[in-house]
Amino acid sequence: IYLADHGESLGENNIWLHASDSPPIHNPACFVWVSDRYKQKYPEKHSALQENSSKKHMADFLFHSILGGALITSPIIDKDRSIFYLK
């Protein structure tokens, strides 16, 4: 899982850099890669990941998703914040 710490404005509407308030700043880059083996071994997690990919998420999804995707269990994990579970 890669999540940028902030968005970048790269010339949209003639706005540059990250020190301004523009829509790209509010949408940091994020992507998730899983191996073919992971997809085969955990098809329910891969399906949830695909279904959740078009939804908007707060940055706090990251902690819960890393643990959920790695099959680590804990009472502090909020499955509603993890992209590896269907909501």
Side-chain angles (χ1 to χ4, degrees):
I1 299 174
Y2 170 81
L3 174 63
D5 63 341
H6 56 74
E8 287 290 329
S9 189
L10 301 172
E12 300 86 354
N13 300 318
N14 206 27
I15 298 172
W16 296 87
L17 300 175
H18 61 270
S20 62
D21 189 23
S22 65
I25 303 300
H26 301 282
N27 297 295
C30 178
F31 66 86
V32 179
W33 177 87
V34 294
S35 68
D36 289 337
R37 183 175 178 204
Y38 186 92
K39 291 176 196 177
Q40 291 171 350
K41 194 167 184 179
Y42 308 106
E44 72 288 348
K45 294 207 177 287
H46 183 249
S47 293
L49 185 60
Q50 288 182 306
E51 186 166 326
N52 289 322
S53 69
S54 61
K55 298 175 183 173
K56 293 197 178 262
H57 303 278
M58 299 292 290
D60 64 353
F61 86 94
L62 187 62
F63 171 80
H64 303 279
S65 296
I66 289 172
L67 296 179
L71 304 175
I72 296 171
T73 58
S74 169
I76 63 171
I77 296 173
D78 183 347
K79 290 183 177 183
D80 288 337
R81 292 184 182 166
S82 173
I83 58 177
F84 287 96
Y85 297 98
L86 291 176
K87 288 146 184 80

Coordinates of all heavy atoms in Angstrom, one line a residue:
I1 N 0.9 -1.2 0.0 CA 0.0 0.0 0.0 C 0.9 1.2 0.0 O 1.8 1.3 0.8 CB -0.9 0.0 1.2 CG1 -1.8 -1.2 1.3 CG2 -1.7 1.3 1.3 CD1 -2.7 -1.3 2.6
Y2 N 0.6 2.1 -0.9 CA 1.3 3.4 -1.0 C 0.3 4.5 -0.8 O -0.7 4.5 -1.4 CB 2.0 3.6 -2.3 CG 2.5 5.0 -2.5 CD1 3.7 5.4 -1.9 CD2 1.8 6.0 -3.2 CE1 4.2 6.7 -2.0 CE2 2.2 7.3 -3.3 CZ 3.4 7.6 -2.7 OH 3.9 8.9 -2.8
L3 N 0.6 5.4 0.2 CA -0.3 6.6 0.4 C 0.6 7.8 0.6 O 1.5 7.8 1.5 CB -1.1 6.4 1.6 CG -2.0 7.6 2.1 CD1 -3.0 8.0 1.0 CD2 -2.7 7.3 3.4
A4 N 0.5 8.8 -0.3 CA 1.3 10.0 -0.2 C 0.8 10.7 1.1 O -0.3 10.6 1.5 CB 1.1 10.9 -1.4
D5 N 1.7 11.5 1.6 CA 1.4 12.3 2.8 C 0.5 13.5 2.6 O -0.1 14.1 3.4 CB 2.6 12.6 3.7 CG 3.5 13.5 2.9 OD1 3.5 13.6 1.7 OD2 4.4 14.2 3.6
H6 N 0.5 13.9 1.3 CA -0.4 15.0 0.9 C -0.5 15.0 -0.6 O 0.3 14.4 -1.3 CB 0.1 16.4 1.4 CG 1.6 16.7 1.0 ND1 1.9 17.0 -0.3 CD2 2.7 16.6 1.7 CE1 3.2 17.2 -0.4 NE2 3.7 17.0 0.8
G7 N -1.5 15.7 -1.1 CA -1.6 15.8 -2.5 C -0.7 16.9 -3.1 O -0.1 17.7 -2.4
E8 N -0.6 16.9 -4.4 CA 0.2 17.9 -5.1 C -0.7 18.6 -6.2 O -1.4 17.9 -6.9 CB 1.4 17.3 -5.8 CG 2.5 16.9 -4.9 CD 3.2 18.0 -4.3 OE1 3.4 19.1 -4.9 OE2 3.7 17.9 -3.1
S9 N -0.5 19.9 -6.3 CA -1.2 20.6 -7.4 C -0.1 20.8 -8.5 O 0.9 21.4 -8.3 CB -1.7 21.9 -6.9 OG -2.5 22.5 -7.9
L10 N -0.3 20.2 -9.6 CA 0.7 20.2 -10.7 C 0.2 21.0 -11.9 O 0.2 20.5 -13.0 CB 1.0 18.7 -11.1 CG 1.6 17.9 -10.0 CD1 1.7 16.4 -10.4 CD2 2.9 18.4 -9.5
G11 N -0.3 22.2 -11.6 CA -0.7 23.1 -12.7 C -2.1 23.1 -13.0 O -2.6 23.9 -13.9
E12 N -2.9 22.3 -12.3 CA -4.4 22.4 -12.5 C -4.9 23.8 -12.2 O -4.5 24.3 -11.1 CB -5.1 21.4 -11.6 CG -4.7 19.9 -11.9 CD -3.5 19.5 -11.1 OE1 -2.8 20.3 -10.4 OE2 -3.2 18.3 -11.2
N13 N -5.6 24.4 -13.1 CA -6.1 25.8 -12.9 C -5.0 26.7 -12.6 O -5.1 27.7 -11.8 CB -7.2 25.8 -11.8 CG -8.4 25.0 -12.1 OD1 -8.8 24.9 -13.2 ND2 -8.9 24.2 -11.1
N14 N -3.8 26.5 -13.1 CA -2.6 27.3 -13.0 C -2.2 27.4 -11.5 O -1.6 28.4 -11.1 CB -2.8 28.7 -13.6 CG -1.5 29.3 -14.0 OD1 -0.5 28.6 -14.3 ND2 -1.4 30.6 -14.0
I15 N -2.4 26.4 -10.7 CA -2.0 26.3 -9.4 C -0.9 25.2 -9.3 O -1.0 24.1 -9.7 CB -3.1 25.9 -8.4 CG1 -4.2 27.0 -8.5 CG2 -2.7 25.8 -7.0 CD1 -5.5 26.7 -7.8
W16 N 0.2 25.6 -8.6 CA 1.4 24.7 -8.5 C 1.7 24.5 -7.0 O 1.4 25.2 -6.2 CB 2.6 25.3 -9.2 CG 2.3 25.4 -10.7 CD1 1.7 26.4 -11.4 CD2 2.6 24.4 -11.7 NE1 1.7 26.2 -12.7 CE2 2.2 25.0 -12.9 CE3 3.2 23.2 -11.7 CZ2 2.4 24.3 -14.1 CZ3 3.4 22.5 -12.9 CH2 2.9 23.0 -14.1
L17 N 2.4 23.4 -6.8 CA 3.0 23.0 -5.5 C 1.9 22.5 -4.5 O 0.8 22.3 -4.8 CB 3.8 24.1 -4.9 CG 5.0 24.6 -5.8 CD1 5.7 25.8 -5.2 CD2 6.0 23.4 -6.0
H18 N 2.4 22.3 -3.3 CA 1.5 21.8 -2.2 C 1.2 22.8 -1.2 O 0.6 22.4 -0.2 CB 2.1 20.5 -1.6 CG 3.4 20.7 -1.0 ND1 4.6 20.6 -1.7 CD2 3.7 21.0 0.3 CE1 5.6 20.8 -0.8 NE2 5.1 21.1 0.4
A19 N 1.6 24.0 -1.3 CA 1.4 25.0 -0.3 C 0.2 25.9 -0.6 O 0.1 27.0 -0.2 CB 2.6 25.9 -0.1
S20 N -0.8 25.3 -1.3 CA -2.0 26.1 -1.6 C -3.2 25.2 -1.3 O -3.1 24.0 -1.2 CB -2.0 26.5 -3.1 OG -2.0 25.4 -3.9
D21 N -4.3 25.8 -1.2 CA -5.6 25.1 -1.0 C -6.3 24.9 -2.3 O -6.9 25.8 -2.8 CB -6.4 25.8 0.0 CG -7.6 24.9 0.5 OD1 -7.5 23.7 0.4 OD2 -8.6 25.5 0.9
S22 N -6.1 23.7 -2.9 CA -6.8 23.4 -4.1 C -7.2 21.9 -4.1 O -6.7 21.1 -3.3 CB -5.8 23.6 -5.3 OG -4.7 22.7 -5.3
P23 N -8.2 21.5 -4.9 CA -8.7 20.1 -4.9 C -7.6 19.0 -4.9 O -7.8 18.1 -4.2 CB -9.6 20.1 -6.1 CG -10.2 21.5 -6.2 CD -9.0 22.3 -5.9
P24 N -6.6 19.1 -5.8 CA -5.6 18.1 -5.8 C -4.9 17.9 -4.4 O -4.5 16.8 -4.1 CB -4.6 18.5 -6.8 CG -5.3 19.4 -7.7 CD -6.3 20.1 -6.8
I25 N -4.8 18.9 -3.6 CA -4.2 18.8 -2.3 C -5.0 17.9 -1.4 O -4.5 17.2 -0.5 CB -4.1 20.2 -1.7 CG1 -3.2 21.1 -2.6 CG2 -3.5 20.2 -0.3 CD1 -1.8 20.7 -2.8
H26 N -6.3 17.9 -1.6 CA -7.2 17.1 -0.8 C -7.3 15.7 -1.2 O -8.1 14.9 -0.5 CB -8.6 17.8 -0.8 CG -8.6 19.2 -0.3 ND1 -8.6 19.5 1.1 CD2 -8.7 20.4 -0.9 CE1 -8.6 20.8 1.2 NE2 -8.6 21.4 0.0
N27 N -6.7 15.3 -2.3 CA -6.8 13.9 -2.8 C -5.4 13.4 -3.0 O -4.9 13.3 -4.1 CB -7.5 13.9 -4.1 CG -9.0 14.4 -3.9 OD1 -9.7 13.7 -3.2 ND2 -9.3 15.5 -4.4
P28 N -4.7 13.0 -1.9 CA -3.3 12.4 -2.1 C -3.3 11.1 -2.9 O -4.3 10.4 -2.9 CB -2.8 12.2 -0.7 CG -4.0 12.2 0.2 CD -5.1 13.0 -0.5
A29 N -2.2 10.9 -3.6 CA -2.1 9.6 -4.3 C -2.1 8.4 -3.4 O -1.5 8.4 -2.4 CB -0.8 9.7 -5.1
C30 N -2.7 7.4 -3.9 CA -2.7 6.1 -3.2 C -2.9 5.0 -4.2 O -3.7 5.1 -5.1 CB -3.9 6.1 -2.2 SG -4.1 4.6 -1.3
F31 N -2.2 3.9 -3.9 CA -2.4 2.7 -4.7 C -2.1 1.5 -3.9 O -1.3 1.5 -2.9 CB -1.7 2.7 -6.1 CG -0.2 2.6 -6.0 CD1 0.5 1.4 -5.9 CD2 0.6 3.8 -6.0 CE1 1.8 1.3 -5.8 CE2 1.9 3.7 -6.0 CZ 2.6 2.5 -5.9
V32 N -2.7 0.3 -4.2 CA -2.5 -0.9 -3.5 C -2.1 -2.0 -4.6 O -2.7 -2.1 -5.6 CB -3.7 -1.4 -2.8 CG1 -3.5 -2.7 -2.1 CG2 -4.2 -0.3 -1.8
W33 N -1.0 -2.7 -4.3 CA -0.6 -3.8 -5.2 C -0.7 -5.1 -4.4 O -0.2 -5.1 -3.2 CB 0.8 -3.6 -5.7 CG 1.3 -4.8 -6.6 CD1 1.1 -4.9 -7.9 CD2 2.0 -5.9 -6.1 NE1 1.6 -6.1 -8.3 CE2 2.2 -6.8 -7.2 CE3 2.4 -6.4 -4.9 CZ2 2.8 -8.0 -7.2 CZ3 3.1 -7.6 -4.8 CH2 3.3 -8.4 -5.9
V34 N -1.3 -6.1 -4.9 CA -1.3 -7.5 -4.3 C -0.8 -8.5 -5.4 O -1.0 -8.3 -6.5 CB -2.7 -7.9 -3.8 CG1 -3.1 -7.0 -2.6 CG2 -3.7 -7.9 -4.8
S35 N -0.1 -9.5 -4.9 CA 0.4 -10.5 -5.8 C -0.7 -11.4 -6.2 O -1.8 -11.5 -5.6 CB 1.5 -11.3 -5.0 OG 0.9 -12.1 -4.0
D36 N -0.4 -12.2 -7.3 CA -1.4 -13.2 -7.8 C -1.6 -14.2 -6.7 O -2.7 -14.7 -6.5 CB -0.9 -13.8 -9.1 CG -0.9 -12.9 -10.3 OD1 -1.7 -11.9 -10.2 OD2 -0.1 -13.1 -11.2
R37 N -0.6 -14.6 -6.0 CA -0.7 -15.6 -4.9 C -1.7 -15.0 -3.8 O -2.5 -15.8 -3.3 CB 0.6 -15.9 -4.3 CG 0.6 -16.9 -3.3 CD 2.0 -17.3 -2.8 NE 1.9 -18.3 -1.8 CZ 2.8 -18.5 -0.9 NH1 3.9 -17.8 -0.9 NH2 2.7 -19.5 0.1
Y38 N -1.6 -13.8 -3.4 CA -2.4 -13.2 -2.4 C -3.9 -13.2 -2.9 O -4.8 -13.5 -2.2 CB -2.0 -11.8 -2.1 CG -2.8 -11.1 -1.0 CD1 -2.3 -11.2 0.3 CD2 -4.0 -10.4 -1.2 CE1 -3.0 -10.6 1.4 CE2 -4.7 -9.8 -0.2 CZ -4.2 -9.9 1.1 OH -4.9 -9.4 2.2
K39 N -4.1 -12.8 -4.2 CA -5.4 -12.9 -4.8 C -6.1 -14.3 -4.7 O -7.2 -14.4 -4.4 CB -5.4 -12.4 -6.3 CG -5.0 -11.0 -6.4 CD -4.9 -10.7 -7.9 CE -4.2 -9.4 -8.2 NZ -4.0 -9.1 -9.7
Q40 N -5.2 -15.3 -5.0 CA -5.7 -16.6 -5.0 C -6.0 -17.1 -3.6 O -7.0 -17.8 -3.3 CB -4.7 -17.6 -5.7 CG -4.7 -17.3 -7.2 CD -3.5 -18.1 -7.8 OE1 -2.7 -18.7 -7.1 NE2 -3.5 -18.1 -9.1
K41 N -5.1 -16.8 -2.7 CA -5.2 -17.3 -1.3 C -6.3 -16.5 -0.5 O -7.0 -17.1 0.4 CB -3.9 -17.1 -0.6 CG -3.8 -17.9 0.7 CD -2.4 -17.9 1.2 CE -2.3 -18.8 2.4 NZ -1.0 -18.9 3.0
Y42 N -6.6 -15.2 -0.8 CA -7.6 -14.4 -0.1 C -8.5 -13.7 -1.1 O -8.5 -12.5 -1.2 CB -6.8 -13.4 0.8 CG -5.8 -14.0 1.7 CD1 -4.5 -13.9 1.4 CD2 -6.2 -14.8 2.8 CE1 -3.5 -14.4 2.2 CE2 -5.2 -15.4 3.6 CZ -3.9 -15.2 3.3 OH -2.9 -15.8 4.1
P43 N -9.3 -14.5 -1.8 CA -10.2 -13.9 -2.8 C -11.2 -12.9 -2.2 O -11.5 -11.9 -2.9 CB -10.9 -15.1 -3.5 CG -10.8 -16.2 -2.5 CD -9.5 -15.9 -1.8
E44 N -11.6 -13.1 -1.0 CA -12.6 -12.2 -0.4 C -11.9 -10.9 -0.1 O -12.6 -9.8 -0.2 CB -13.2 -12.8 0.9 CG -12.2 -12.9 2.1 CD -11.1 -14.0 2.0 OE1 -11.2 -14.8 1.1 OE2 -10.2 -13.9 2.9
K45 N -10.7 -10.9 0.3 CA -10.0 -9.6 0.5 C -9.7 -8.8 -0.8 O -9.9 -7.6 -0.9 CB -8.7 -9.8 1.3 CG -8.9 -10.4 2.7 CD -7.8 -10.0 3.6 CE -8.1 -10.5 5.0 NZ -9.1 -9.7 5.7
H46 N -9.4 -9.6 -1.8 CA -9.2 -9.0 -3.1 C -10.5 -8.4 -3.7 O -10.5 -7.3 -4.2 CB -8.6 -10.0 -4.1 CG -8.3 -9.4 -5.4 ND1 -9.0 -9.7 -6.6 CD2 -7.4 -8.5 -5.8 CE1 -8.5 -9.0 -7.6 NE2 -7.5 -8.2 -7.1
S47 N -11.6 -9.1 -3.5 CA -12.9 -8.6 -3.9 C -13.3 -7.3 -3.2 O -13.8 -6.4 -3.8 CB -14.0 -9.7 -3.7 OG -13.8 -10.8 -4.6
A48 N -13.0 -7.3 -1.9 CA -13.4 -6.1 -1.1 C -12.5 -5.0 -1.5 O -12.9 -3.8 -1.7 CB -13.1 -6.4 0.4
L49 N -11.2 -5.3 -1.8 CA -10.3 -4.2 -2.3 C -10.8 -3.6 -3.6 O -10.8 -2.4 -3.7 CB -8.9 -4.8 -2.4 CG -7.8 -3.9 -2.8 CD1 -7.6 -2.9 -1.7 CD2 -6.5 -4.7 -3.0
Q50 N -11.2 -4.4 -4.5 CA -11.7 -3.9 -5.8 C -13.0 -3.1 -5.6 O -13.1 -2.0 -6.2 CB -12.0 -5.1 -6.7 CG -10.7 -5.7 -7.3 CD -11.0 -6.8 -8.2 OE1 -11.7 -7.8 -8.0 NE2 -10.4 -6.7 -9.4
E51 N -13.9 -3.6 -4.8 CA -15.1 -2.9 -4.6 C -14.9 -1.6 -3.8 O -15.6 -0.6 -4.1 CB -16.1 -3.7 -3.7 CG -17.5 -3.1 -3.6 CD -18.5 -4.0 -3.1 OE1 -18.5 -5.2 -3.5 OE2 -19.4 -3.6 -2.4
N52 N -14.0 -1.5 -2.9 CA -13.7 -0.3 -2.2 C -12.8 0.7 -2.9 O -12.6 1.8 -2.5 CB -13.1 -0.6 -0.8 CG -14.1 -1.3 0.1 OD1 -15.2 -0.9 0.1 ND2 -13.6 -2.3 0.9
S53 N -12.3 0.3 -4.1 CA -11.3 1.2 -4.8 C -11.9 2.4 -5.3 O -11.2 3.4 -5.5 CB -10.7 0.4 -5.9 OG -11.6 0.1 -6.9
S54 N -13.2 2.5 -5.6 CA -13.8 3.7 -6.1 C -14.5 4.6 -5.1 O -15.0 5.6 -5.4 CB -14.9 3.3 -7.2 OG -15.9 2.5 -6.6
K55 N -14.3 4.1 -3.8 CA -14.9 4.9 -2.7 C -13.9 5.9 -2.2 O -12.7 5.7 -2.3 CB -15.4 4.0 -1.6 CG -16.5 3.0 -2.0 CD -16.8 2.1 -0.9 CE -17.8 1.0 -1.4 NZ -18.1 0.0 -0.4
K56 N -14.4 7.0 -1.6 CA -13.5 7.9 -0.9 C -13.2 7.5 0.5 O -14.1 6.9 1.2 CB -14.2 9.3 -0.9 CG -14.3 9.9 -2.3 CD -14.5 11.4 -2.1 CE -14.6 12.0 -3.5 NZ -13.4 12.6 -4.0
H57 N -12.0 7.6 0.9 CA -11.5 7.2 2.2 C -10.8 8.3 2.9 O -10.0 9.1 2.3 CB -10.6 6.0 2.1 CG -11.2 4.8 1.4 ND1 -12.1 3.9 2.0 CD2 -11.1 4.4 0.1 CE1 -12.4 3.0 1.1 NE2 -11.9 3.3 -0.1
M58 N -10.9 8.3 4.2 CA -10.0 9.2 5.0 C -8.7 8.5 5.2 O -8.6 7.3 5.1 CB -10.7 9.5 6.4 CG -12.0 10.1 6.4 SD -12.0 11.8 5.8 CE -11.2 12.6 7.2
A59 N -7.6 9.3 5.5 CA -6.3 8.7 5.6 C -6.2 7.7 6.7 O -5.3 6.9 6.7 CB -5.3 9.8 5.8
D60 N -7.1 7.7 7.7 CA -7.0 6.8 8.8 C -7.3 5.4 8.4 O -7.2 4.4 9.2 CB -7.9 7.2 10.0 CG -9.4 7.2 9.7 OD1 -9.7 7.0 8.5 OD2 -10.1 7.5 10.6
F61 N -7.7 5.2 7.1 CA -7.9 3.8 6.6 C -6.6 3.0 6.6 O -6.6 1.8 6.7 CB -8.5 3.8 5.2 CG -7.4 3.9 4.1 CD1 -6.9 2.7 3.5 CD2 -6.9 5.1 3.7 CE1 -5.9 2.8 2.6 CE2 -5.9 5.2 2.8 CZ -5.4 4.0 2.2
L62 N -5.5 3.7 6.5 CA -4.2 3.0 6.3 C -3.9 2.0 7.4 O -3.6 0.8 7.1 CB -3.1 4.0 6.1 CG -1.7 3.5 5.7 CD1 -1.8 2.8 4.4 CD2 -0.7 4.6 5.7
F63 N -3.9 2.4 8.7 CA -3.6 1.6 9.8 C -4.5 0.3 9.8 O -4.0 -0.8 9.9 CB -3.8 2.4 11.1 CG -3.7 1.5 12.3 CD1 -2.5 1.2 12.9 CD2 -4.8 1.1 13.0 CE1 -2.4 0.4 14.0 CE2 -4.8 0.3 14.1 CZ -3.5 -0.1 14.6
H64 N -5.8 0.5 9.7 CA -6.7 -0.6 9.7 C -6.5 -1.5 8.5 O -6.7 -2.7 8.6 CB -8.1 -0.1 9.8 CG -8.3 0.8 11.0 ND1 -8.5 0.3 12.3 CD2 -8.2 2.2 11.2 CE1 -8.6 1.3 13.2 NE2 -8.4 2.5 12.5
S65 N -6.2 -1.0 7.4 CA -6.1 -1.8 6.2 C -4.8 -2.6 6.2 O -4.8 -3.7 5.7 CB -6.1 -0.8 4.9 OG -7.3 -0.2 4.8
I66 N -3.7 -2.0 6.6 CA -2.4 -2.8 6.7 C -2.6 -4.0 7.6 O -2.3 -5.1 7.2 CB -1.3 -1.9 7.2 CG1 -0.9 -0.9 6.1 CG2 -0.1 -2.8 7.6 CD1 0.1 0.2 6.5
L67 N -3.2 -3.8 8.7 CA -3.4 -4.9 9.7 C -4.4 -5.9 9.1 O -4.2 -7.1 9.1 CB -3.9 -4.4 11.0 CG -2.8 -3.6 11.8 CD1 -3.4 -3.1 13.1 CD2 -1.5 -4.3 12.0
G68 N -5.5 -5.4 8.6 CA -6.6 -6.3 8.0 C -6.1 -7.1 6.8 O -6.3 -8.3 6.6
G69 N -5.3 -6.4 5.9 CA -4.8 -7.1 4.8 C -3.7 -8.1 5.1 O -3.5 -9.1 4.4
A70 N -3.0 -7.9 6.2 CA -2.0 -8.9 6.7 C -2.6 -9.9 7.6 O -1.8 -10.7 8.1 CB -0.9 -8.1 7.4
L71 N -3.9 -10.0 7.8 CA -4.5 -11.0 8.6 C -4.1 -10.9 10.1 O -4.2 -11.8 10.8 CB -4.3 -12.4 8.1 CG -4.7 -12.6 6.6 CD1 -4.3 -14.0 6.2 CD2 -6.2 -12.4 6.5
I72 N -3.8 -9.7 10.5 CA -3.4 -9.4 11.9 C -4.8 -9.1 12.6 O -5.5 -8.2 12.1 CB -2.4 -8.3 12.1 CG1 -1.1 -8.7 11.4 CG2 -2.2 -7.9 13.5 CD1 -0.1 -7.6 11.3
T73 N -5.0 -9.7 13.7 CA -6.3 -9.5 14.4 C -6.0 -8.7 15.7 O -5.0 -8.9 16.3 CB -7.0 -10.8 14.8 OG1 -6.2 -11.6 15.5 CG2 -7.4 -11.5 13.5
S74 N -6.9 -7.8 16.0 CA -6.8 -7.0 17.2 C -8.2 -6.4 17.5 O -8.9 -6.0 16.5 CB -5.8 -5.9 17.1 OG -5.8 -5.0 18.1
P75 N -8.6 -6.2 18.7 CA -9.8 -5.5 19.0 C -9.8 -4.0 18.6 O -10.9 -3.5 18.5 CB -10.0 -5.7 20.5 CG -8.7 -6.0 21.0 CD -7.9 -6.6 19.9
I76 N -8.7 -3.5 18.3 CA -8.7 -2.0 17.9 C -8.8 -1.8 16.4 O -9.0 -0.7 16.0 CB -7.4 -1.3 18.4 CG1 -6.1 -1.9 17.8 CG2 -7.3 -1.4 19.9 CD1 -4.9 -1.1 18.1
I77 N -8.8 -2.9 15.6 CA -9.0 -2.8 14.2 C -10.5 -2.5 13.9 O -11.3 -3.2 14.4 CB -8.6 -4.0 13.4 CG1 -7.1 -4.3 13.6 CG2 -8.9 -3.9 12.0 CD1 -6.6 -5.6 13.0
D78 N -10.7 -1.4 13.2 CA -12.0 -1.1 12.7 C -12.2 -1.5 11.3 O -11.7 -0.9 10.4 CB -12.2 0.4 12.9 CG -13.6 0.9 12.5 OD1 -14.4 0.1 12.0 OD2 -13.9 2.1 12.8
K79 N -13.0 -2.6 11.1 CA -13.1 -3.2 9.8 C -13.8 -2.2 8.8 O -13.7 -2.2 7.6 CB -13.9 -4.5 9.8 CG -13.1 -5.6 10.4 CD -13.9 -6.9 10.4 CE -13.1 -8.0 11.0 NZ -13.7 -9.3 10.9
D80 N -14.6 -1.2 9.4 CA -15.3 -0.2 8.5 C -14.3 0.7 7.9 O -14.6 1.4 7.0 CB -16.3 0.6 9.3 CG -17.5 -0.3 9.6 OD1 -17.8 -1.3 8.9 OD2 -18.2 0.0 10.6
R81 N -13.1 0.8 8.5 CA -12.0 1.7 8.0 C -11.1 1.0 7.1 O -10.2 1.6 6.5 CB -11.3 2.4 9.1 CG -12.2 3.4 9.9 CD -11.3 4.1 10.9 NE -12.2 5.0 11.7 CZ -11.8 5.5 12.8 NH1 -10.6 5.2 13.3 NH2 -12.6 6.3 13.4
S82 N -11.1 -0.3 7.0 CA -10.2 -1.1 6.2 C -10.7 -1.3 4.8 O -11.9 -1.7 4.6 CB -10.0 -2.5 6.9 OG -9.2 -3.3 6.0
I83 N -9.9 -1.2 3.8 CA -10.3 -1.4 2.4 C -10.3 -2.9 2.1 O -10.7 -3.3 1.0 CB -9.4 -0.6 1.5 CG1 -7.9 -1.0 1.6 CG2 -9.6 0.9 1.6 CD1 -6.9 -0.4 0.7
F84 N -9.9 -3.8 3.0 CA -9.9 -5.2 2.8 C -11.1 -5.9 3.3 O -11.2 -7.1 3.3 CB -8.6 -5.8 3.4 CG -7.4 -5.5 2.6 CD1 -6.5 -4.5 3.0 CD2 -7.0 -6.3 1.5 CE1 -5.4 -4.2 2.3 CE2 -5.9 -6.0 0.8 CZ -5.1 -4.9 1.2
Y85 N -12.1 -5.1 3.7 CA -13.4 -5.6 4.2 C -14.5 -4.9 3.5 O -14.4 -3.7 3.3 CB -13.5 -5.5 5.7 CG -12.5 -6.3 6.5 CD1 -11.4 -5.6 7.0 CD2 -12.7 -7.6 6.8 CE1 -10.4 -6.4 7.8 CE2 -11.8 -8.3 7.5 CZ -10.6 -7.7 8.0 OH -9.7 -8.4 8.7
L86 N -15.6 -5.6 3.2 CA -16.7 -4.9 2.6 C -17.5 -4.2 3.7 O -17.6 -4.7 4.8 CB -17.6 -6.0 1.9 CG -17.1 -6.6 0.7 CD1 -18.0 -7.7 0.2 CD2 -16.8 -5.5 -0.4
K87 N -18.0 -3.1 3.4 CA -18.7 -2.2 4.3 C -20.2 -2.4 4.2 O -20.7 -2.7 3.2 CB -18.3 -0.8 4.1 CG -16.9 -0.5 4.6 CD -16.2 0.5 3.8 CE -14.7 0.7 4.2 NZ -13.8 -0.2 3.7

